Amino acid sequence: GKVIFAKDTDSKKKVVIIENGDDVYTIYGHLSKIAPTIEVGQKIKKGYIIGRVEEDLTFEVTQKNFHIDPLELIGAK
C-alpha cells in the first residue's frame, strides 16, 4: 500500500494510514513511535515495520468510507 498519513494527532497519539487499493484504508493509531523510515507517499509491502506499540494499538479498516471488521480482512473470522 501507500502511506497517506503519518503524524501525531490529538486523539490517537501517533497515527499511520495506509491506502491499500480498492478504496481500502488501514489505520494504525496509538503508536508510541512511527518508524523513522516511514514517509507520506511511500509505498510499502506487507510486513514492513511502520511503528512501535507500547500499550494498545487501535487498528481500523475502512472501505469506501465504511468501517469493516478487521478480523474478516485477515481471515480470523
Side-chain angles (χ1 to χ4, degrees), residues 7-8 12-16 28-34:
K7 65 180 176 179
D8 212 349
K12 292 186 180 178
K13 291 189 176 179
K14 292 172 178 39
V15 176
V16 173
Y28 304 84
H30 293 111
L31 298 169
S32 58
K33 183 176 183 179
I34 295 173

Side-chain angles (χ1 to χ4, degrees), residues 38-49:
I38 291 292
E39 296 178 9
V40 172
Q42 174 184 14
K43 296 221 182 219
I44 60 172
K45 293 184 179 183
K46 181 179 177 179
Y48 195 90
I49 294 173

Side-chain angles (χ1 to χ4, degrees), residues 27-66:
I27 301 126
Y28 304 84
H30 293 111
L31 298 169
S32 58
K33 183 176 183 179
I34 295 173
T37 55
I38 291 292
E39 296 178 9
V40 172
Q42 174 184 14
K43 296 221 182 219
I44 60 172
K45 293 184 179 183
K46 181 179 177 179
Y48 195 90
I49 294 173
I50 60 167
R52 180 176 299 262
V53 177
E54 286 185 4
E55 293 178 19
D56 295 322
L57 171 70
T58 298
F59 177 62
E60 299 175 51
V61 180
T62 63
Q63 184 173 31
K64 297 182 181 175
N65 296 325
F66 294 99

